[in-house]
Amino acid sequence: MTGMAAQFRSTEALIDALADASFDRPPALVSNAHVTGLGVARALDAHDVPVIALDRPGDDDALRHDGLAPPSDAVDFAGAVTYPLDDLDGFREDVEAIVDAIGREAVAFGCMDEWALAYARADPEGVRLPFAGIDTLDDVLNKSELYATCETLGVPYPETYRLTETAEAATGTPDADATLDEAAEALGFPLVVKPELKRDFEEAFGTNVLEVADRKEFADAVAAAREEEIAVMAQKRVDIATGRDHSLASYVPPSGVGDALAVVGNAAVRFPQQFGTSCLVETADEPAIEARALAVLDDAGYHGISEAEFVYDDEREEFLLLDVNTRPWKWIGMPVAAGANLPMAAYAAVTDAEYESSGVEPTRWVYLRDYLALLAGDDVFWDQLSTADWRRLVAGDFEREGNLTTGIYRPSDPAPAAKLFETEFVDRDYYCSC
């Protein structure tokens, strides 16, 4: 079955609809139901995997939802579940009721940290997880643990100090490195205040990192973090080379990194240009980045889909590891189009399905909504797409030829792009851009 979603149902209506359906293989539970979830759904649908998109309720008791995945032909059903950050037990109960209605086990894909962690922590009965368990996830996502691993392995990372003032809230094993004053003297200003675990920090501050310009701002940020019982660290503000951010997109199977499926992507263009999200990503040949990222994942014992983010430090003249996301991300469609269908590899590892990559080809991924905003903006930005690229995009020929793919717009699956047009100019914000 394909293309049956059309609407975003309430939990009860979704359960009723699933009870009347039949599945010849385990369906995928994809959360969220927005840009990243759409990319995962399309990757799985290309191999006839049924997709059920799950997300937090929308407006009007889940009857209207701003996510772009539900109208896609790649999604069979879509509906609401209890948001796990509000009620983890309620989330588990909803997912288990959905699986019970399906009548067979399902495979979970968490496309943002809170969803990936929720599936791992709740561990709903009847749900197979194509990624490592909660203890391993916590270790990889914990910045203290991550940077300690980098130190051990000799993987470069930004100069960072774990602060004594919030040490009581720390969950990582490394001890605090410095007081607020010692870190300020070592790093100078501006500097970056970064949490050990970003989810609670994002909930408290509305962002996952703070840049502070002087000691007062620094002290205020640390005091606020201490009040919220969040461990933070001070990090050198890296003089980042624009357009040289790279990430390793990979799926590591339970057998280990020796069997990993991996592609290095260069975030050639971001929106906004300096510190925004990726809007033009292209494959890159950077074996050192692949080796370093896989070494970190190997040391942590992680298996599953992940993105290891590196920035290029002009001052040190080397790539520095910033973060590892243990889940799919916004440009997950790029490695898929390049020949490394990471979601399908993960699905095959926990089911009877088979998948083998036929090899990786040079590929570019563009998120047209942001890319066009850059072209129309006041800042100087030179178009990096050719006339032939634009012709293929407008004609829809890019789906059949060339080396370019897109985040949302696809003439063969038009409903998500049409919905974006409908919602883009309404004074209403969806909770996440991914």
Side-chain angles (χ1 to χ4, degrees):
M1 63 179 66
T2 58
M4 294 178 58
Q7 60 179 310
F8 188 84
R9 294 176 166 90
S10 68
T11 308
E12 294 75 15
L14 176 63
I15 290 171
D16 289 343
L18 291 171
D20 293 333
S22 61
F23 299 90
D24 60 0
R25 59 169 65 185
L29 307 179
V30 177
S31 305
N32 59 18
H34 204 40
V35 177
T36 305
L38 175 61
V40 172
R42 284 171 167 170
L44 295 170
D45 179 66
H47 291 265
D48 298 321
V49 175
V51 174
I52 302 168
L54 303 177
D55 209 331
R56 64 200 300 181
D59 296 342
D60 303 324
D61 193 25
L63 297 180
R64 196 200 60 75
H65 195 270
D66 286 349
L68 300 179
S72 169
D73 289 339
V75 175
D76 296 286
F77 296 91
V81 289
T82 300
Y83 189 43
L85 291 184
D86 293 336
D87 180 359
L88 186 63
D89 289 336
F91 167 77
R92 180 192 301 107
E93 291 170 4
D94 286 351
V95 173
E96 289 181 346
I98 286 168
V99 172
D100 185 59
I102 292 169
R104 64 180 306 160
E105 291 189 320
V107 181
F109 289 84
C111 299
M112 295 174 65
D113 286 347
E114 68 264 36
W115 294 102
L117 289 169
Y119 281 116
R121 287 198 175 109
D123 194 20
E125 187 175 349
V127 175
R128 304 178 191 178
L129 301 181
F131 52 87
I134 189 61
D135 291 342
T136 302
L137 287 184
D138 281 341
D139 285 348
V140 176
L141 293 174
N142 186 303
K143 294 296 187 300
S144 292
E145 299 282 359
L146 177 64
Y147 293 148
T149 298
C150 289
E151 190 72 32
T152 300
L153 298 176
V155 175
Y157 65 98
E159 184 178 358
T160 304
Y161 296 92
R162 303 164 188 86
L163 297 176
T164 303
E165 285 79 359
T166 61
E168 290 184 1
T171 59
T173 53
D175 296 329
D177 299 309
T179 64
L180 184 153
D181 288 332
E182 290 168 342
E185 182 176 353
L187 298 174
F189 292 100
L191 60 80
V192 172
V193 177
K194 179 175 285 190
E196 181 185 70
L197 295 168
K198 68 181 180 182
R199 173 47 58 187
D200 289 343
F201 193 86
E202 285 180 337
E203 289 291 308
F205 296 94
T207 180
N208 59 19
V209 66
L210 291 174
E211 183 175 311
V212 295
D214 53 40
R215 192 194 179 286
K216 182 181 184 307
E217 287 187 11
F218 186 25
D220 288 346
V222 174
R226 184 174 183 178
E227 180 70 20
E228 296 285 344
E229 298 183 346
I230 298 171
V232 294
M233 52 192 71
Q235 190 171 88
K236 182 178 178 61
R237 184 184 182 278
V238 179
D239 185 15
I240 295 173
T242 303
R244 295 199 63 185
D245 297 349
H246 286 66
S247 294
L248 181 73
S250 71
Y251 170 70
V252 176
S255 57
V257 298
D259 297 318
L261 182 60
V263 178
V264 176
N266 167 217
V269 180
R270 291 185 176 275
F271 176 73
Q273 289 189 67
Q274 291 296 322
F275 302 105
T277 61
S278 303
C279 68
L280 180 63
V281 183
E282 52 196 20
T283 51
D285 183 19
E286 292 287 350
I289 285 178
E290 180 173 345
R292 289 171 178 175
L294 291 179
V296 169
L297 296 173
D298 185 42
D299 185 82
Y302 176 76
H303 70 269
I305 296 172
S306 69
E307 177 202 17
E309 298 181 88
F310 292 77
V311 295
Y312 189 80
D313 186 342
D314 272 335
E315 183 179 333
R316 291 170 59 174
E317 297 184 338
E318 61 184 348
F319 286 103
L320 310 181
L321 178 64
L322 275 190
D323 205 354
V324 176
N325 298 309
T326 52
R327 51 169 174 76
W329 56 97
K330 186 177 180 182
W331 51 272
I332 185 68
M334 189 278 273
V336 174
N341 191 324
L342 307 181
M344 190 58 203
Y347 178 88
V350 294
T351 67
D352 293 334
E354 295 183 0
Y355 173 75
E356 185 175 348
S357 170
S358 59
V360 172
E361 298 293 335
T363 302
R364 294 168 297 158
W365 173 96
V366 62
Y367 186 67
L368 285 170
R369 182 252 177 248
D370 290 350
Y371 193 82
L372 290 170
L374 274 179
L375 289 173
D378 295 330
D379 295 337
V380 175
F381 174 70
W382 297 102
D383 188 5
Q384 297 190 27
L385 300 181
S386 67
T387 300
D389 289 332
W390 285 113
R391 286 176 176 168
R392 280 192 288 266
L393 284 169
V394 174
D397 294 338
F398 73 94
E399 294 194 71
R400 297 176 293 277
E401 61 183 52
N403 64 350
L404 184 64
T405 190
T406 60
I408 295 175
Y409 166 66
R410 291 189 187 178
S412 65
D413 184 25
K419 186 172 182 180
L420 180 61
F421 285 131
E422 293 171 5
T423 59
E424 180 65 19
F425 304 106
V426 178
D427 186 18
R428 179 177 63 240
D429 293 328
Y430 185 77
Y431 74 101
C432 176
S433 63
C434 298

